[in-house]
């Protein structure tokens, strides 16, 4: 793992909390029968929706306040708005998430659910079943191949998150087939959509490519799609207000008539 002093204080705190949770240990490995993420994206494309993973994100280090609504109702609203898949934060201390919430959301919807957390040790994989788990290349370092294998052994699909070309190379070398390029720099918590644009051309064609963070408008959606995104992961912009309307606006971004309004 990289030198922690390069990370924003909030991110250092997130990682320290993740290591504490990893040390708590779990009883028994989960065995997941996952809902296919690629198939969900294909279904969205087939009926003219931009594939969007809508994120249930009650709060975060870069958000003011906490959204207290029932996360299951929020998740159902996002699916009603056309989300191809959902992402649910399970990190409790900085994002207001929990494994229990993810379980309830996954029971309530029929789309794939990504578990959004900061996994740094194999034991964390057994906290809860989900269709997809996130591994952040920057945080897992040389453990990426082993964690990828451990997650797949349990049945998970794995989204490997990268922020630059070096991390992309490590992800591809480790055998990642779903890669997310995070526009949020976890050192300074600054968002720049140019990050995706600079990394995307180097992603092999066979990899499912997801643009993450900072996508706030239909223009942003079109920009990320033009740069090669198969799908988009959107949290804050959907959580801010009516989640169904917000999701709908983004998934319809490529419909000709929507451009004119
Ligand atoms: O969102 C944050 O404030 C944050 C801070 C520190 C580490 C990670 C953080 N976010 C994790 C994410 O990956 C985002 O929740 C996700 O990509 C959605 O981003 P956005 O649409 O910008 O809310």
């Amino acid at each position: 793992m990289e030198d922690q002093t390069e990370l924003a204080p909030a991110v250092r705190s997130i990682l320290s909390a993740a290591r504490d949770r990893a040390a708590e240990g779990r009883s028994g490995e989960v065995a997941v029968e996952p809902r296919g993420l690629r198939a969900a994206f294909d279904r969205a494309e087939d009926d003219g929706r931009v594939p969007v993973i809508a994120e249930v994100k009650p709060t975060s280090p870069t958000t003011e306040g906490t959204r207290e609504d029932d996360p299951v109702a929020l998740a159902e609203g996002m699916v009603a708005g056309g989300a191809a898949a959902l992402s649910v934060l399970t990190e409790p201390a900085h994002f207001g998430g929990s494994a229990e919430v993810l379980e309830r959301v996954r029971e309530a919807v029929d789309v794939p659910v990504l578990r959004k957390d900061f996994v740094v040790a194999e034991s964390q994989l057994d906290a809860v079943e989900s269709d997809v788990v996130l591994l952040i290349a920057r945080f897992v370092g040389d453990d990426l191949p082993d964690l990828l294998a451990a997650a797949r052994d349990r049945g998970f699909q794995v989204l490997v998150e990268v922020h630059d070309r070096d991390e992309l190379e490590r992800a591809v070398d480790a055998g990642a087939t779903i890669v997310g390029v995070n526009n949020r720099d976890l050192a300074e918590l600054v968002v720049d959509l140019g990050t995706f644009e600079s990394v995307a051309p180097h992603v092999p064609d066979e990899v499912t490519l997801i643009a993450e963070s900072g996508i706030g408008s239909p223009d942003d959606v079109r920009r990320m799609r033009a740069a090669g995104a198969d799908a988009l992961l959107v949290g804050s912009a959907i959580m801010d207000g009516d989640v169904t309307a917000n999701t709908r606006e983004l998934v319809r971004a490529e419909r000709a008539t929507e451009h004119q309004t």
Side-chain angles (χ1 to χ4, degrees), residues 8 10-11 14 55 57 59-63 87 89 94-95 116 118 134 136 139 161 182-186 189 191 211-216 233-238:
V11 177
I14 290 166
E55 186 159 276
K57 183 180 183 183
T59 188
S60 84
T62 58
T63 313
S87 166
L89 262 306
H94 304 80
F95 292 86
K116 200 75 190 305
F118 298 82
L134 176 73
I136 302 176
F139 295 159
E161 179 178 300
N182 198 343
N183 289 309
R184 182 173 284 109
D185 176 354
L186 296 178
L189 296 184
V191 172
E212 300 178 20
S213 300
I215 299 152
L233 172 62
V234 185
S236 315
I238 287 178

Side-chain angles (χ1 to χ4, degrees), residues 104 211 256:
R104 286 173 45 219

Side-chain angles (χ1 to χ4, degrees), residues 13-134:
S13 169
I14 290 166
L15 282 176
S16 159
R19 273 185 228 107
D20 291 346
R21 282 184 291 140
E24 285 165 15
R26 303 282 160 198
S27 56
E29 287 185 12
V30 296
V32 182
E33 286 182 30
R35 300 169 190 160
L37 188 64
R38 186 71 236 190
F41 293 165
D42 290 344
R43 278 195 296 277
E45 296 274 13
D46 286 348
D47 57 43
R49 288 174 287 136
V50 176
V52 169
I53 305 173
E55 186 159 276
V56 179
K57 183 180 183 183
T59 188
S60 84
T62 58
T63 313
E64 271 183 36
T66 300
R67 183 131 186 197
E68 306 283 1
D69 316 38
D70 173 19
V72 173
L74 292 171
E76 288 172 333
M78 292 168 180
V79 174
L86 297 176
S87 166
V88 178
L89 262 306
T90 56
E91 203 278 352
H94 304 80
F95 292 86
S98 73
E100 184 256 335
V101 162
L102 184 144
E103 240 163 13
R104 286 173 45 219
V105 166
R106 190 162 179 254
E107 266 172 36
V109 300
D110 58 5
V111 300
V113 178
L114 162 69
R115 177 182 170 205
K116 200 75 190 305
D117 208 323
F118 298 82
V119 171
V120 291
E122 184 173 343
S123 61
Q124 283 175 279
L125 294 170
D126 297 315
V128 65
E129 291 184 22
S130 63
D131 304 288
V132 190
V133 284
L134 176 73

Side-chain angles (χ1 to χ4, degrees), residues 223-240:
R223 181 173 164 187
M224 294 294 94
R225 292 278 278 177
D230 295 309
L232 314 165
L233 172 62
V234 185
S236 315
I238 287 178
M239 288 294 289
D240 184 11

